[in-house]
Amino acid sequence: MVYLILGLVLWTAGHFFKRLAPDMRAGMGNAGKGVAAVIILAGLVLMIIGYRGAEFINLWYPPTWTVHLNNLLMLIAVFVYGMSATRGRLRGKMRHPQLVAVKIWAVAHLLVNGDLASVILFGGMLAWAVVQVIVINRTEEWVRPEPGKASKDILLVVITLVLFGVMTGIHNWLGVWPFPG
């Protein structure tokens, strides 16, 4: 669990570096971006290693139907995350699509995992995303981008379905089949 918690701390510190120490980050120039990226990547690697190696300590038994809700929420999360890169009509409908997607992802995974490591990982990521939105909203003004072509939104749906399929395959490869039999 130490690696998992350390990973969460590094992930959070790397993401908050720009907003909590803007003068230090600006003084570092492009190297500041690199430092933040290395810290975030190290945090991600430690979270994965820590989660995979954590002792299973059960806190509750999620109902089996939550797997279906998880899958639906994950499909929505992938779509919402993709809204950040879309140039379609949906562009600008949401200020923080990536962070909203992380929140959806975290809640979806909390619904289907009742162990301590999952609560730490997914609860920690949910807390980080909530605080990140608050900090960004207080420190940066948002200029809503102009909407683009509807055809780009159709492309987003196709990309979402493909990425969801890839993510399902990765889960299967890791030994977690996301669709109950």
Side-chain angles (χ1 to χ4, degrees), residues 56-137:
F56 184 82
I57 301 170
N58 195 49
L59 300 176
W60 76 86
Y61 296 97
T64 56
W65 62 266
T66 59
V67 173
H68 302 293
L69 182 56
N70 171 73
N71 292 336
L72 175 62
L73 289 173
M74 284 307 304
L75 188 60
I76 293 168
V78 173
F79 181 82
V80 169
Y81 190 91
M83 285 175 58
S84 67
T86 187
R87 299 287 182 238
R89 304 287 309 156
L90 294 173
R91 182 180 184 187
K93 294 290 183 188
M94 187 180 300
R95 180 170 183 183
H96 306 289
Q98 290 180 351
L99 291 167
V100 170
V102 169
K103 292 178 199 177
I104 296 168
W105 167 83
V107 168
H109 282 77
L110 285 169
L111 287 172
V112 294
N113 294 288
D115 62 293
L116 181 59
S118 294
V119 169
I120 291 171
L121 175 62
F122 302 117
M125 291 296 286
L126 177 61
W128 163 76
V130 167
V131 173
Q132 186 80 351
V133 166
I134 293 167
V135 169
I136 291 170
N137 287 346

Side-chain angles (χ1 to χ4, degrees), residues 3-67:
Y3 288 140
L4 175 58
I5 294 168
L6 180 59
L8 279 166
V9 168
L10 289 175
W11 173 272
T12 302
H15 279 92
F16 283 132
F17 181 46
K18 174 183 176 181
R19 287 172 182 80
L20 298 182
D23 295 335
M24 180 188 292
R25 170 92 183 263
M28 295 174 77
N30 284 336
K33 291 180 182 180
V35 168
V38 168
I39 291 170
I40 291 166
L41 182 60
L44 180 62
V45 169
L46 286 173
M47 283 188 285
I48 292 168
I49 291 169
Y51 183 73
R52 299 275 298 164
E55 177 185 355
F56 184 82
I57 301 170
N58 195 49
L59 300 176
W60 76 86
Y61 296 97
T64 56
W65 62 266
T66 59
V67 173

Side-chain angles (χ1 to χ4, degrees), residues 79 82-94 144-157 159:
F79 181 82
M83 285 175 58
S84 67
T86 187
R87 299 287 182 238
R89 304 287 309 156
L90 294 173
R91 182 180 184 187
K93 294 290 183 188
M94 187 180 300
R144 185 182 302 270
E146 292 295 319
K149 299 177 183 175
S151 62
K152 297 292 186 176
D153 294 332
I154 295 168
L155 180 61
L156 174 60
V157 170
I159 291 170

